[in-house]
Amino acid sequence: MRLVFLGPPGAGKGTIAARAREALGIAHISTGELFRKAIAEGSPLGLKVKGVIESGGLVGDDLTIALVRERLAQADAAKGFILDGFPRTVAQAEALDAMGGIDRAVDFRLDDALVLARLGGRRTCPKCAKTYHVLFQKPRAEGVCDACGAALAIRDDDREDAIKRRLEVYRAQTAPLIDWYEAKGLLLVIDAAPAPEAVLADFLKRMKDGL
Ligand code: AP5
């Protein structure tokens, strides 16, 4: 099964993908996470993309498409994948089609007020990338990752100005993909406002029902 997760920043794409990966037995590939790992490692790719990511802009299509092509060639992607955060432009969606296409694009819908509440309270583990929220998804011990014990951090692009820019970029460049996939008969719309367990259950049920 080859899936694409769409939706505004903070809609919960990463949270649901991490849980759905286990339920569906497919790979979870987050382009944002691949870029953040490259930045943390100080690799040439990381140095190239650091500024644009911190400001809330989009990394260039050529670089992003090459990264995804390379990642999809790895063995774990052969049994299926969730692409979380890719494609983000029509050019990226066309490139993905040329790589074999997808079975379904899932649009996680959330209004701006909830987007701001989620991103404003997000905490992320810099070591294993697990995501928490100060109110909605608290770690067992405050400020510490349940999974690996590292100190939790605030993402550089979760500052107010960067969030605003990410929402603008989403509306201008990524939201048009919703119509693009609907026209191909591949779109599944999910209400992302309920708690993660309910969103996951809705998503898995609708996938099973073939809706
Ligand atoms: P990326 O990492 O993809 O960021 P994003 O799309 O902005 O998505 P987020 O990670 O912010 O949100 P999410 O929807 O995954 O929400 P989450 O599950 O964390 O990309 C980062 C940057 O990389 C981009 O800005 C760009 O620069 C670059 N980039 C990446 N891909 C690119 C591409 N294809 N082309 C070009 N550039 C690219 O949840 C958010 C918070 O809410 C968490 O605290 C979570 O605990 C909480 N939460 C989640 N679900 C719920 C729920 N149901 N109820 C209550 N709280 C919830």
Side-chain angles (χ1 to χ4, degrees), residues 191-203:
D191 176 10
E197 298 70 28
V199 176
L200 178 69
D202 184 25
F203 163 68

Side-chain angles (χ1 to χ4, degrees), residues 9-129:
K13 303 179 294 294
T15 299
I16 300 304
R19 298 172 186 213
R21 163 184 53 191
E22 287 165 28
L24 299 172
I26 55 180
H28 170 202
I29 299 170
S30 158
T31 40
E33 195 42 49
L34 292 174
F35 287 136
R36 281 188 290 281
K37 189 163 177 274
I39 292 170
E41 287 167 352
S43 71
L45 172 68
L47 294 174
K48 226 182 254 180
V49 302
K50 188 174 190 306
V52 72
I53 288 190
E54 285 178 2
S55 73
L58 284 189
V59 175
D61 283 336
D62 290 350
L63 201 58
T64 309
I65 290 165
L67 180 78
V68 169
R69 185 175 289 118
E70 199 179 300
R71 181 62 187 86
L72 290 184
Q74 290 177 19
D76 66 330
K79 58 184 189 277
F81 54 77
I82 297 169
L83 274 171
D84 160 15
F86 182 95
R88 265 178 152 92
T89 63
V90 171
Q92 291 180 13
E94 286 169 348
L96 183 58
D97 266 1
M99 290 179 226
I102 59 161
D103 299 308
R104 199 158 288 275
V106 187
D107 178 25
F108 289 91
R109 296 231 169 136
L110 194 69
D111 65 35
D112 283 5
L114 277 177
V115 162
L116 295 177
R118 288 189 184 177
L119 294 181
R122 175 162 58 188
R123 298 293 180 269
T124 306
C125 177
K127 203 167 155 203
C128 73

